[in-house]
Amino acid sequence: MVKIPDNIAESALARLFNDSRLEPEITWFSLPGGAILCEAGEPADQLFFVRAGRLAAFRQEEGHEPRFLGVIRPGEPAGEMAMIAGSQHSARVVALRDSEILAMPRAVFFAAAERDPVVMIELARLMIRRARQTAGRASTGDPSVFGFVGVDRMVKVRDLVEKLATAIEAFGYSVTTIGEEGQHAPTEWFSNVEGVHDFVLYSAEADQIAWKQIVGRQVDRLFRIARGDKPPPSTLDYFASPALEKQFLLDLILVQPRGVDRPVGSEAWMEAVRPARLFHIRSGSGADIDRIARLLAGRSVGLVLSGGGARAYAHVGAIRELRKVGCPIDFIGGSSMGAVVGAAVAMGWDDEEIDWRLRKAFVETNPLADIALPLIAMTLGEVVGARLKEHFGEQQISDLWLPFFCISSNLTSGSFQTHRRGLLREALRASIAIPGLLPPAVQDNNVLVDGAVMKNFPTDVMRGLHLGPVVGVDVTRGRNITADEVARPSSVWRWFLSGQWRKGPPIVSLLLRTATVSTGREIVASREATDLLVLPKMETVEIRDWEAYDEAAAAGEAAMQSALATLTRPVTELRRRASLEELAEAAVAM
């Protein structure tokens, strides 16, 4: 019988798989790195136990990259929830590296669990922890072994990794960094090191070819590091396991020259590497090192801003308050007008610059003033396009300091579209193309309209980008449209003289509200994906009142203050994973 290693043999579940009486019923097999253990939708008629190696669980949505759910380590089961429920697997489970798996038939497990109830208690505790992870809470299933490999010899990878380790240790975790000295270590040595540290960071310089190959097969996620001001080589070797490549677990860090206003070289490197995520580090910047450290430790903060017409001004106040308390913003995304405000943050603008740019673009002049013969839309969209070009210029999304995305609705494919590359102003133009009010955007023969039509509060997209807390500001549920707002003016002249024409004709309210309305189920799901939900009171702000800037911003600021006041710990710790020391103390206390 294949015995369980001593370092994972203490749990009741491990003892069950080590029980010699069950040996004829237990199957042992090797699962190569990149191989699939089970697919979503397959029957769960066995309980799997990881003897060695590492697995990862992913959930796939049609048309989108797999969403990472968590790591399954040696000594942990896989497929336990579906097996106990007698249902189908809900996720794909893949071997991150060469692994050894034990499998026990469902009926055999239940019979054995009746003889030893502690097994079921232990399994129930594990399932509760994993369920909390799915619901957005801290978990021990997060990745903890990261690799950093250099592409350019001018980048000193080990120095960067040591700085990351110091920053992570400041969060209260045990961290070790391993370089080429680990190249000839046996497999058991790697497992032992990873078992006694909260985080293991492997570093490989550009010229350490053999060690880079080992690192690429040993980690939960791999970062390639290059100089942004140097062009990518004509050929690149990923130095990654098939699992990392297939499951989009390869990221890119570009080290930018000291003192540059904007990142350089991003598009060329994105085209060459095709990473899942891109991060920029300014040479010598401690703040950028801290941001990557938060990312690795599950403390990075993602901010999501909903659409909502003029009500989206509330996002400005919410951001102002978030910055005031010192909360970092590491990822940002949004839909419709929320995307415009989010792009302002990703540009690196401070509160004052965001304020005057939005006032100039949307408050001082009506962005929907170029009324047209409504063959395709009520306006030509030229004023909006000119405003976006004036403030965002030729900025590429990949050349933003912060990872940014915005959402549009693709009428050609019938699904929402996530913009993470390309010209920023074109992505924003698509995201705010309210059907009937602004002409649709056409990109690559696809017809794109306002993102709020299909996904107005894209918290699930943010959840798929990082494992840290998600802060969401939703302005969609203020005062709904009333009959007065769509009533025909009794006198056109009086309507002009009163200044109400600046908001646009009443049909604007109808089109804006139609574009941003969401189903109850979608709203609940989007809000549940947040760790901190902010709901500004927008009852007095009409959705097309582009002059209501101060009132809306004040509502956002007040709502963020109230939301932060409910917290008992900083935002960065809302999904804090327990350290190994804390887990050991909790086990003793039980």
Side-chain angles (χ1 to χ4, degrees):
M1 182 176 184
V2 178
K3 290 294 183 181
I4 306 294
D6 291 341
N7 62 330
I8 61 171
E10 297 180 358
S11 69
L13 191 61
R15 291 197 301 271
L16 182 64
F17 276 90
N18 238 0
D19 192 336
S20 59
R21 294 172 296 177
L22 300 178
E23 181 177 354
E25 307 290 347
I26 297 174
T27 303
W28 172 91
F29 58 93
S30 177
L31 194 67
I36 296 173
L37 176 66
C38 59
E39 281 279 13
E42 291 181 349
D45 51 9
Q46 297 183 91
L47 176 66
F48 301 109
F49 182 86
V50 183
R51 182 183 181 276
R54 281 198 177 204
L55 310 179
F58 300 88
R59 187 161 292 148
Q60 180 77 57
E61 292 184 17
E62 185 176 354
H64 299 280
E65 295 177 358
R67 177 185 167 190
F68 174 83
L69 299 178
V71 169
I72 305 171
R73 299 179 174 85
E76 295 181 348
E80 73 285 348
M81 292 186 188
M83 187 274 298
I84 288 179
S87 61
Q88 297 175 333
H89 291 292
S90 61
R92 171 188 294 168
V93 179
V94 180
L96 282 177
R97 62 189 72 156
D98 293 350
S99 303
E100 296 179 26
I101 308 297
L102 299 174
M104 180 182 295
R106 184 170 184 266
V108 174
F109 168 79
F110 279 118
E114 286 185 7
R115 295 192 297 269
D116 186 1
V118 176
V119 172
M120 190 61 78
I121 294 173
E122 184 177 278
L123 203 57
R125 288 173 179 163
L126 177 68
M127 288 191 295
I128 290 172
R129 287 203 302 271
R130 289 181 175 175
R132 286 175 177 172
Q133 175 192 12
T134 304
R137 299 298 155 197
S139 168
T140 58
D142 292 343
S144 61
V145 182
F146 300 98
F148 300 83
V149 298
V151 178
D152 189 331
R153 295 189 181 189
M154 296 182 69
V155 175
K156 302 302 180 185
V157 178
R158 185 64 178 261
D159 291 348
L160 188 150
V161 171
E162 294 285 2
K163 292 175 182 176
L164 288 173
T166 299
I168 296 173
E169 285 174 343
F171 301 147
Y173 295 110
S174 62
V175 188
T176 187
T177 61
I178 299 172
E180 194 179 21
E181 68 272 11
Q183 180 172 335
H184 300 293
T187 303
E188 294 77 11
W189 180 83
F190 288 99
S191 298
N192 291 336
V193 168
E194 294 167 7
V196 297
H197 290 90
D198 294 306
F199 292 94
V200 177
L201 310 183
Y202 294 104
S203 67
E205 307 297 338
D207 56 355
Q208 296 172 347
I209 305 302
W211 173 235
K212 286 166 76 170
Q213 292 172 339
I214 294 173
V215 169
R217 297 195 304 268
Q218 190 63 32
V219 298
D220 300 334
R221 192 151 199 149
L222 188 67
F223 293 82
R224 307 191 70 184
I225 305 177
R227 286 275 299 271
D229 58 343
K230 300 293 182 182
S234 56
T235 58
L236 282 169
D237 193 329
Y238 275 90
F239 295 104
S241 71
L244 298 181
E245 292 189 47
K246 292 178 182 177
Q247 304 303 325
F248 302 97
L249 296 175
L250 293 171
D251 297 316
L252 174 64
I253 295 176
L254 288 181
V255 179
Q256 299 293 344
R258 198 184 297 261
V260 296
D261 293 330
R262 291 275 167 236
V264 295
S266 307
E267 277 301 305
W269 277 102
M270 289 285 285
E271 194 64 32
V273 177
R274 299 282 178 174
R277 303 177 298 184
L278 169 64
F279 304 98
H280 297 288
I281 292 181
R282 283 160 281 209
S283 181
S285 171
D288 290 339
I289 291 292
D290 289 343
R291 180 159 52 88
I292 302 298
R294 287 193 296 272
L295 170 75
L296 301 181
R299 296 166 60 95
S300 52
V301 177
L303 179 63
V304 180
L305 309 175
S306 78
R311 292 172 180 168
Y313 292 148
H315 297 318
V316 177
I319 291 165
R320 187 185 303 151
E321 184 62 27
L322 203 59
R323 286 173 163 175
K324 189 183 299 181
V325 300
C327 177
I329 300 173
D330 300 303
F331 292 78
I332 190 158
S335 193
S336 196
M337 271 298 289
V340 175
V341 179
V345 176
M347 288 286 288
W349 298 339
D350 59 19
D351 294 340
E352 290 72 21
E353 186 166 7
I354 291 175
D355 186 80
W356 81 258
R357 284 185 182 274
L358 288 179
R359 287 181 186 275
K360 185 178 181 182
F362 295 98
V363 180
E364 295 176 6
T365 57
N366 186 355
L368 304 175
D370 52 343
I371 303 297
L373 184 65
L375 296 176
I376 298 177
M378 285 190 56
T379 68
L380 296 172
E382 293 177 354
V383 173
V384 168
R387 296 289 184 274
L388 294 176
K389 185 174 183 178
E390 177 185 358
H391 295 282
F392 297 104
E394 303 304 309
Q395 182 74 44
Q396 296 284 331
I397 294 176
S398 59
D399 282 334
L400 295 169
W401 287 115
L402 292 181
F404 168 81
F405 72 85
C406 66
I407 300 296
S408 67
S409 299
N410 190 323
L411 299 185
T412 304
S413 67
S415 64
F416 71 90
Q417 182 161 323
T418 305
H419 299 265
R420 294 176 57 199
R421 286 187 64 184
L423 200 58
L424 176 59
R425 60 180 170 84
E426 290 184 351
L428 295 176
R429 175 63 179 79
S431 189
I432 61 173
I434 302 162
L437 189 56
L438 286 169
V442 178
Q443 296 180 12
D444 299 325
N445 213 31
N446 290 303
V447 178
L448 309 178
V449 298
D450 197 297
V453 172
M454 293 185 181
K455 189 170 285 290
N456 195 32
F457 195 31
T459 53
D460 59 334
V461 177
M462 180 64 77
R463 181 65 71 205
L465 286 177
H466 76 135
L467 297 174
V470 172
V471 177
V473 186
D474 186 3
V475 299
T476 60
R477 301 294 276 184
R479 177 174 59 91
N480 293 327
I481 192 169
T482 65
D484 291 340
E485 291 163 8
V486 295
R488 181 190 301 271
S490 58
S491 168
V492 174
W493 290 111
R494 192 172 298 136
W495 181 60
F496 270 104
L497 291 173
S498 68
Q500 291 296 309
W501 64 273
R502 293 188 180 89
K503 298 180 182 179
I507 193 175
V508 172
S509 287
L510 184 63
L511 293 172
L512 278 167
R513 187 57 189 157
T514 301
T516 58
V517 70
S518 301
T519 65
R521 179 180 297 177
E522 181 184 343
I523 291 170
V524 170
S526 296
R527 292 182 174 182
E528 284 183 346
T530 65
D531 297 281
L532 180 65
L533 178 63
V534 183
L535 301 173
K537 295 181 179 179
M538 308 303 296
E539 286 78 4
T540 61
V541 178
E542 209 267 305
I543 199 168
R544 61 185 169 129
D545 189 357
W546 300 104
E547 296 183 348
Y549 183 91
D550 291 320
E551 183 180 357
E557 192 168 1
M560 182 62 77
Q561 287 176 350
S562 298
L564 291 172
T566 65
L567 302 180
T568 58
R569 51 184 169 167
V571 173
T572 53
E573 299 217 1
L574 291 180
R575 288 171 59 84
R576 187 182 189 280
R577 57 187 288 177
S579 67
L580 293 177
E581 182 179 351
E582 290 167 336
L583 289 173
E585 292 174 353
V588 171
M590 296 171 69

